Amino acid sequence: MKGPRVVAIAHKKPDAEILRKRKAESKTTKERANKKKDSKAPKRPPSAFFIFMEDFRKSFKENHPDKTPVSSVGKAGSQKWKSMSDADKAPYVEKAKNRKADYVRAIEAHKEKLNGAGADEKPEDSGKSTSEIHDEAGQESSS
């Protein structure tokens, strides 16, 4: 007969420091969830693999018009990417670096636009002076 197993480690309450770390981590994830994404910000650039897939999709559909599932194209592309040497991947990596540099410039321009938007931008002018606008409003209300 087997008897009950003896547990060598006593059950401890979690340290206060560990609990504080968990709380801090949970706050950051909540903050991330509540943070709204700027819809006018530039999109992140694709990686070298996705640039490769843009070209691969075109050639795959020309060579295999009967294969319609997207999964078959993705599987074939990923297998080819894995089998390629670094020299074969080099053009795609270079394109990815160029797109990344363009993205960094676009982000910096976007941040400058956001930071300077309140001070430098003026409201849209309709081409009319304020007296003309007030005259039109007065004519509408008197009619």
Side-chain angles (χ1 to χ4, degrees):
M1 277 180 59
K2 292 185 178 180
R5 292 185 179 181
V6 179
V7 178
I9 302 171
H11 294 287
K12 293 183 179 179
K13 290 185 179 179
D15 292 336
E17 186 176 326
I18 294 173
L19 289 175
R20 274 187 252 126
K21 285 181 183 178
R22 285 183 189 164
K23 262 189 175 178
E25 289 173 5
S26 65
K27 285 182 184 178
T28 56
T29 55
K30 287 179 185 176
E31 289 171 359
R32 285 185 205 148
N34 292 336
K35 185 178 178 183
K36 292 186 179 180
K37 186 174 181 179
D38 185 6
S39 62
K40 295 182 181 180
K43 287 186 174 183
R44 287 178 53 197
S47 67
F49 172 73
F50 285 105
I51 294 172
F52 162 75
M53 284 301 292
E54 290 172 2
D55 294 338
F56 182 79
R57 276 187 204 97
K58 293 174 190 172
S59 64
F60 187 83
K61 286 185 180 183
E62 290 173 1
N63 296 336
H64 307 286
D66 57 329
K67 292 195 176 186
T68 55
V70 177
S71 61
S72 64
V73 178
K75 286 178 184 177
S78 65
Q79 288 173 353
K80 183 167 182 177
W81 180 258
K82 289 176 186 176
S83 67
M84 289 171 66
S85 67
D86 289 340
D88 295 336
K89 294 179 184 180
Y92 301 109
V93 172
E94 188 64 32
K95 286 180 186 177
K97 285 180 184 178
N98 292 340
R99 289 190 187 183
K100 175 76 174 186
D102 293 341
Y103 169 75
V104 169
R105 283 191 292 267
I107 282 290
E108 288 173 359
H110 180 71
K111 286 181 181 178
E112 286 179 18
K113 184 178 177 183
L114 287 178
N115 291 338
D120 296 339
E121 283 189 24
K122 294 180 181 177
E124 296 273 332
D125 289 334
S126 62
K128 297 182 179 181
S129 68
T130 53
S131 61
E132 290 175 307
I133 294 172
H134 292 299
D135 290 340
E136 286 180 1
Q139 288 173 358
E140 290 175 5
S141 62
S142 63
S143 308

